[in-house]
Amino acid sequence: MSAAGQHPAVDADELRRRVRDLLDAHPPATTAPLDFLRARFDAGLAWVHYPAGLGGLDAPRSLQAVVDAELAAAGAPDNDPRRIGIGLGMAAPTILGFGTDEQRRRLLRPLWTGEEVWCQLFSEPGAGSDLAALATRAVRDGDDWVVDGQKVWTSSAHIARWAILIARTDPDQPKHRGISYFICDMTDPGVEVRPLRQITGEAEFNEVFLTGVRIPDSRRLGEIGEGWRVAQTTLMNERVAIGGGRVPREGGMIGLVADTWRERPELRTHDLHQRLLRLWMESEAARLAGERLRQQLAVGQPGPEGSAMKLAFARLNQHISALEVELLGEEGLGYDDWTLRRPELVDFTGREAGYRYLRAKGNSIEGGTSEVLLNIIAERVLGLPPEPRTDKDVPWKDLPR
Amino acid sequence: MSTPDLLYSEAEDDLRAAVRSLLTDRCPPATVLLEAESGRAHDIALWGALGAEMGTAGLMVPDKLGGQGATAREAAVVMEELGRAVAPVPYLTSAVLAAGTLLGCDTDQEPVARLLGALAEGRTVGALAVPLSTTAGAPGPPTATVRADGDGTLSGQVSGVAGAAGADVLLVPATGADGYGLYAVETAEASVTVEPLTSLDLTRPLAAVTLTGAPARRLAGPDRAAAAIGRALLTGAGLLASEQLGVAEWCLTETVRHTKERHQFGRPVGSFQALKHRMAALWLELVSARATARYAADALATDSPDTPVAVAVAQAHCAEVAVRAAEECVQLHGGIGMTWEHPAHLYLKRAKSDEIALGTPGRHRQALAGLVDLAAPTG
Ligand SMILES: Cc1cc2nc3c(=O)[nH]c(=O)nc-3n(C[C@H](O)[C@H](O)[C@H](O)COP(=O)(O)OP(=O)(O)OC[C@H]3O[C@@H](n4cnc5c(N)ncnc54)[C@H](O)[C@@H]3O)c2cc1C
């Protein structure tokens, strides 16, 4: 992937030295945040395991924590990773793995600094869990592809500059084989984004209509017809993306409820006490499992625990937020705000319990449903036999829809 | 709080491999079943090989006192393997609870050091005479049901003691004119009766201990006895989580193996999604159970101030995971899971007994409430 071995000597001390050089040349107090982020990228301190020249130094991934800690201590601005999560977590590793040098150089820097937001045009009204059944067509026309179709539940499409897009380029092939992977410019003619109001009242995701959108062939990632393989990289990274920073005890949703419990003894009941203790204990167990996963990654033993963590947190968030609404009793009957808003990120802690309760319902649907993740664990981790398939060798155009 | 090490070290992996290979040879399920039916308190030959020859009996005892000088981290790995094999050996009762109690006494005293050395060597088997159901981490030491008389003898009864049958020495908490204390009693004395009970867990049988003027040696007085017993129970509970993890792992592995091979309706039953999801959910619970068990072991090994929380979380979590895994194992094996020949029942019995041993999940959650400031409602 990268020019491995080019910087064999990049260790923690070397990184600390480079961080000091960066801070000396661009003191955070007097440098505009964006300028600082650009300089950080150029110094190879954005994601240290990326190749030199692309924001990294070919250093071990585990050393990123050293850089982050030093920069945080110096009060350096961050790139708002939650706002650009799709770019960081999914687009970037896919571009790194499958992009041309030119694509990597053009796209990765503004992606990392947050100047350009990314979205993911994968799901369609007729293709969710069965993503490979997608129907959006891309037809070759000279040096371009002409794309027609509809995508749905596209988070951040309203603020995105770019999208990763999968579309069908050969309907005569079985569904997994006729797909290609593109980078779509969201400002191009024919791209229409409509807010899709959701359960919480806001419109965090969108419908995206693609009508005669022309995408130059130079913005294809991977070979024609190999898009499903490329998409696997994206989806794998989507599930691992949670392994980010360390969480302290009570760092997640459980902390909010625990604080309410401590501050408002009049709300306590015996039944809620039992449930709270159980959820506190399970949150701590999930936190420790996440910590163990990070330790495994750091010593180069990536395990399948990534999907485990997503499942565990989805369930916990739902149970904890449900308990919180109940604990609040009369207050739980209220809601903070039903105004149709178009937020730039999911803000669990900035809003009230009712919002958390409703938004957490999406945790077991977005990024692969819990049912589908359980299938993946059963088949890939435990090696249990797959379900019988009726769609495997049938051309996509002949599949029942 | 420093970052705990939740992984296994190379030395721990080596220890695991050695213990596992011994257990694979000497303690297959059929042997466990025969042993359980034999009426013996434990597998004497196996304990000789594991405890004495391999040196696990003194794993947590410092070198200078005749042990291996390892920590709870290594002991936890042994417990995982013993759980995976439902091995009928007195590791928890002698090497963890009895030796652990002695470690909390004044080891400069000759009788304490000598007994500890004997237990560490694995030739002498000890047991702490408290009911196995005693909750670790509860405030105060377990109430003594035995009376220490002025003439240096003990009288009274202790019920439900694990490892008492088969033990050479009992460590008995007793109260007398000198207050709460810890005493050593030889089971060979005529005034000591150890009556085996018919136990739910055939592989870790309980016994009722009756002392009628049994000659005893005082090992610790009120200043140390309670703390020593408390710490040993906490260590036992923390390590029991690793045993529960081992039990759960065997159950899941065997269930996956069986459902891949067993065909019904023209397919392996393991290809039915209703079953796959249950097994995947169990795997998920094992992932977090392992993290909590490792954390408890690491906290005990480093004497972390967070140890009581770590142990309560690990016990409350792993106990339930082990029981669920064993119950799923029986259910997903169908009819064969209900048979005496199939080992599933041995694991269910161990898991269910372990759930009650050293404090039920509910009691550990209750303890947690106090430890992390989540008070119960008043009134
Ligand atoms: C908040 C949110 C944000 C999202 N953001 C994006 C985005 O930015 N970009 C994007 O492309 N997509 C996005 N999605 C879409 C998401 O990836 C899909 O919703 C998801 O993959 C499920 O697909 P579906 O909605 O079509 O449900 P379906 O696939 O129709 O599933 C319906 C039900 O059937 C179950 N099911 C389906 N197949 C199986 C099976 N084989 N075995 C057992 N059960 C099964 C599912 O688990 C579910 O319960 C978002 C979704 C949400 C909720």
Side-chain angles (χ1 to χ4, degrees), chain A residues 15-88:
Chain A
L15 286 175
R16 282 196 195 93
R17 196 182 59 71
R18 285 173 187 252
V19 169
R20 271 197 304 279
D21 290 348
L22 171 72
L23 290 166
D24 288 346
H26 307 273
T30 54
T31 310
L34 183 56
D35 290 335
F36 184 89
L37 291 172
R38 288 174 173 166
R40 178 175 168 186
F41 186 94
D42 296 338
L45 297 169
W47 32 38
V48 297
H49 58 292
Y50 269 46
L54 295 175
L57 293 166
D58 283 313
R61 189 185 191 130
S62 55
L63 292 182
Q64 184 69 42
V66 174
V67 173
D68 292 347
E70 299 273 316
L71 286 172
D78 84 350
N79 59 347
D80 206 352
R82 287 195 301 159
R83 182 169 162 275
I84 58 172
I86 293 176
L88 290 175

Side-chain angles (χ1 to χ4, degrees), chain A residues 246 249 261-262 269-270 273 277-278 280 285 288-289 292 295 305 308 371 374-375 377 379 382-383 385 387-388, chain B residues 3-4 6 8 256 260 271 273 276-277 280 283-284 287 290-292 306 320 365 372-377 379:
Chain A
R246 292 183 52 202
R249 179 174 288 167
W261 184 271
R262 290 177 189 125
T269 70
H270 286 285
H273 191 229
L277 289 173
R278 188 179 279 275
W280 193 97
L288 289 168
R292 189 161 193 279
Q295 294 183 5
E305 281 83 352
E371 289 77 17
L374 287 171
N375 283 348
I377 291 174
E379 289 172 19
L382 300 179
E387 298 277 313
Chain B
T3 311
L6 303 176
Y8 299 103
V256 167
K260 269 201 254 189
S271 71
Q273 199 180 60
K276 285 159 83 170
H277 281 197
W283 177 81
L284 202 63
V287 168
R290 184 183 309 284
T292 62
D306 201 38
E320 293 188 346
R365 282 194 293 272
V372 301
D373 183 26
L374 293 172

Side-chain angles (χ1 to χ4, degrees), chain A residues 86 119-125 127-131 152-156 198 204-205 238 359 362 365-372 375, chain B residues 273 277:
Chain A
I86 293 176
C119 68
Q120 182 187 25
L121 292 173
F122 279 22
S123 303
E124 298 184 6
S129 300
D130 186 10
L131 187 56
V152 74
W153 303 304
T154 318
S155 308
S156 309
Q198 65 201 52
E204 176 199 305
F205 51 30
E238 179 169 16
R359 181 59 185 82
I365 301 172
E366 60 199 329
T369 66
S370 292
E371 289 77 17
V372 166
N375 283 348
Chain B
Q273 199 180 60
H277 281 197

Side-chain angles (χ1 to χ4, degrees), chain B residues 16-61:
Chain B
R16 178 197 302 288
V19 174
R20 189 180 292 187
S21 113
L22 177 75
L23 293 173
T24 309
D25 282 358
R26 306 276 288 269
C27 184
T31 307
V32 178
L33 191 57
L34 276 179
E35 199 45 51
E37 288 169 320
S38 73
R40 279 188 291 273
H42 61 256
D43 185 333
I44 293 157
L46 178 64
W47 181 236
L50 182 80
E53 286 160 39
M54 201 177 263
T56 63
L59 202 55
M60 288 191 289
V61 176

Side-chain angles (χ1 to χ4, degrees), chain A residues 3 6 9 13 26 68 78 89 97 137 159 195 212 216 247 251 263 270-271 276 296 300 306 311 321 369 373 379 395:
Chain A
Q6 210 178 320
D13 288 339
H26 307 273
D68 292 347
D78 84 350
R137 287 293 309 274
I159 54 168
V247 198
E263 285 154 19
H270 286 285
D271 164 59
L276 176 64
Q296 274 179 302
L311 272 163
S321 58
T369 66
L373 288 183
E379 289 172 19

